[in-house]
Amino acid sequence: MAKKILVITASPRSNGNSAVLASHIVKGAEASGANVEVVDVTELEHKVAGCMACDGCHPDKLRCVQEDDITDLVADFPNYDTIVLVTPVYFFGFPAQLKIVIDRLYSLLLHESGMIFSPLKRIKFAVAAVAGGNEEDSGWELIKKQMKYLQELIDGLPPKFLFRGNCARRDTVAGDAGFLKEAEEFGSSLGR
Ligand SMILES: Cc1cc2nc3c(=O)[nH]c(=O)nc-3n(C[C@H](O)[C@H](O)[C@H](O)COP(=O)(O)O)c2cc1C
């Protein structure tokens, strides 16, 4: 059966490095037979600043009680095989627009007898990031660490990663044919 992939883009620059990266990941994933949907989180309306820690979603609602664009997006996560975050690095981490979505994954955690269970457990997460700096100094290592902690928290699948540093210009990724090929292969590997 065709894989269902959700690609989440998180740059306010609609034609910048992450936008081009995302389009090549999508191309590769579709070529391998996956059904791909794309959501740009910078276009979502959200009423709340993030997770309000109200615990209205617990013990077992699996849906945030704050209704805005992010509520449905997050509640739908368990319907995908793979979720790909395509993002610039901002201040050594995820941009705020994406972090707001990530924090609201709290509504997909079930707490039982001191343990956490989550329908996210069976979902493959992938992060493809661009940054002005390099692998060591940009914050990319911190993003990878966050994703690995998330994996441990939900007892999930190992995340997949792709990174392009030294994106000094808006069109750095667009001008790097070798990396674009890598991005397509990355997308294709997620779709298989
Ligand atoms: C608000 C802001 C914060 C940034 N913080 C970082 C950072 O911490 N590390 C880094 O390497 N690059 C940083 N950058 C550079 C971007 O990651 C880089 O320009 C990236 O290519 C932008 O992606 P885009 O073209 O998809 O918007 C920052 C850029 C902005 C606008």
Side-chain angles (χ1 to χ4, degrees):
M1 207 165 86
K3 288 250 173 75
K4 275 192 78 180
I5 299 182
L6 176 64
V7 174
I8 295 183
T9 60
S11 172
R13 295 207 290 197
S14 55
N15 57 354
N17 293 305
S18 14
V20 174
L21 171 56
S23 70
H24 282 75
I25 291 173
V26 169
K27 192 173 164 193
E30 286 180 338
S32 70
N35 291 325
V36 185
E37 285 168 57
V38 182
V39 172
D40 179 352
V41 289
T42 68
E43 287 179 355
L44 300 183
E45 297 276 336
H46 47 87
K47 286 188 260 177
V48 288
C51 172
M52 305 297 273
C54 67
D55 268 321
C57 55
H58 294 138
D60 59 4
K61 273 202 179 66
L62 295 178
R63 184 178 175 87
C64 181
V65 293
Q66 316 278 346
E67 287 291 340
D68 58 18
D69 285 355
I70 295 173
T71 320
D72 281 335
L73 175 68
V74 167
D76 265 357
F77 269 26
N79 297 325
Y80 292 90
D81 299 297
T82 305
I83 293 176
V84 194
L85 311 176
V86 187
T87 183
V89 177
Y90 275 8
F91 286 94
F92 317 105
F94 291 112
Q97 295 96 323
L98 182 54
K99 186 63 165 61
I100 280 177
V101 174
I102 292 170
D103 285 357
R104 286 172 69 182
L105 295 181
Y106 187 64
S107 60
L108 294 178
L109 303 183
L110 290 166
H111 301 254
E112 227 175 273
S113 323
M115 306 266 289
I116 286 178
F117 301 91
S118 174
L120 297 172
K121 180 182 163 85
R122 49 156 290 279
I123 291 168
K124 169 72 88 185
F125 280 95
V127 182
V130 292
N134 61 36
E135 293 224 9
E136 286 75 39
D137 66 15
S138 59
W140 174 234
E141 292 296 336
L142 298 177
I143 286 183
K144 284 199 291 186
K145 212 167 236 182
Q146 281 184 53
M147 295 308 293
K148 285 182 179 149
Y149 285 143
L150 174 65
Q151 180 201 348
E152 283 170 22
L153 182 75
I154 61 177
D155 189 24
L157 302 168
K160 289 195 74 171
F161 298 114
L162 180 67
F163 178 75
R164 173 58 157 92
N166 304 310
C167 291
R169 296 157 34 132
R170 178 189 283 249
D171 61 356
T172 303
V173 165
D176 184 346
F179 180 67
L180 293 178
K181 200 157 175 279
E182 220 181 299
E184 277 176 41
E185 180 45 42
F186 185 76
S188 155
S189 73
L190 297 172
R192 289 195 287 266

